[in-house]
Amino acid sequence: MTDYAAINNLIVAERLYRVSHRNEELAKCYAEDAQIHTSWQSGGVNTFVGQTSEETVEELPIVNRCGGALIYQNGDKAFVEYPTTTTRGMYVNDVEAVLTSYMRLLYRVEKRNGDWKITSMTSINESDELAPAIPGQDLKINPDNVKGFRRSYRWLAYMRQIVGATISQDLPGTDRPAEVQQIYDTELGWLNQ
């Protein structure tokens, strides 16, 4: 298998294992010292594998669909951009709803001891949507309750709020392009050193 194919398979496997709760296989995708930064946690593999965010409703479905990976490789290092769409069931004011999040996942991948492993993952929020699971139902959302939330993850922030949790308003998002560019500059700088 070529390095390109191995990197692509690693990234695809990571996403499939994550949403299907195959935690043992998911953990093997990461290097032991990997750092993962998402909207609900930031830390090592143990803060991510087998863990979920506060608004997750276990009995409702979560589906993750991904685009093709864009892989930049330099020797035993690679930087990967991976567009994803995550759809999950929620309850909003006792009405079943669907939250759809559009993100770009940025991975650092390194070949260590002959195997490609993820050494870091950062999510960039692009936008999100919230709709009733059954069309025509009213989620009874007061527009004042979402004032001040950022467009790139407004409904995710709202869902965290209604379950009594919090979310930083400083997460990477496409509504702050200069910050996103800084992340890319850092990642590409790492790749090319």
Side-chain angles (χ1 to χ4, degrees):
M1 180 182 302
T2 67
D3 283 338
Y4 183 90
I7 295 165
N8 187 69
N9 285 355
L10 174 66
I11 300 304
V12 171
E14 187 272 343
R15 287 290 85 198
L16 289 174
Y17 296 155
R18 173 72 184 157
V19 297
S20 60
H21 307 290
R22 293 163 62 184
N23 294 323
E24 188 174 319
E25 290 119 319
L26 177 62
K28 291 176 185 175
C29 293
Y30 289 94
E32 289 182 13
D33 60 342
Q35 292 292 302
I36 300 120
H37 307 284
T38 68
S39 67
W40 56 274
Q41 62 73 236
S42 185
V45 176
N46 64 330
T47 67
F48 182 70
V49 174
Q51 307 298 317
T52 59
S53 59
E54 295 92 338
E55 76 279 2
T56 299
V57 179
E58 291 296 325
E59 73 269 13
L60 296 178
I62 183 168
V63 177
N64 196 331
R65 290 293 173 252
C66 304
L70 183 56
I71 300 170
Y72 308 84
Q73 184 184 353
N74 185 5
D76 288 345
K77 298 194 297 188
F79 167 60
V80 181
E81 295 181 75
Y82 202 44
T84 70
T85 302
T86 302
T87 304
R88 60 186 134 169
M90 308 265 161
Y91 289 103
V92 177
N93 299 316
D94 298 320
V95 177
E96 186 179 345
V98 177
L99 173 66
T100 303
S101 297
Y102 303 96
M103 294 172 291
R104 201 175 322 149
L105 300 179
L106 306 181
Y107 294 90
R108 286 185 184 185
V109 181
E110 294 181 46
K111 194 173 198 177
R112 296 181 176 178
N113 301 316
D115 291 322
W116 287 99
K117 297 286 184 180
I118 297 166
T119 58
S120 125
M121 180 183 74
T122 300
S123 63
I124 301 209
N125 297 285
E126 296 180 321
S127 69
D128 60 3
E129 301 170 352
L130 183 64
I134 300 172
Q137 289 192 307
D138 183 359
L139 298 179
K140 303 176 203 84
I141 297 172
N142 181 338
D144 290 338
N145 292 340
V146 296
K147 273 189 182 170
F149 288 153
R150 293 180 44 209
R151 286 187 322 271
S152 58
Y153 56 102
R154 173 185 298 147
W155 298 111
L156 179 59
Y158 175 73
M159 291 306 301
R160 292 271 165 85
Q161 178 183 331
I162 67 173
V163 298
T166 59
I167 189 170
S168 171
Q169 287 298 299
D170 291 319
L171 296 175
T174 54
D175 56 333
R176 293 185 180 170
E179 292 175 15
V180 171
Q181 185 59 52
Q182 190 173 28
I183 292 169
Y184 275 86
D185 291 346
T186 299
E187 296 304 306
L188 292 171
W190 166 83
L191 178 67
N192 293 311
Q193 35 171 265

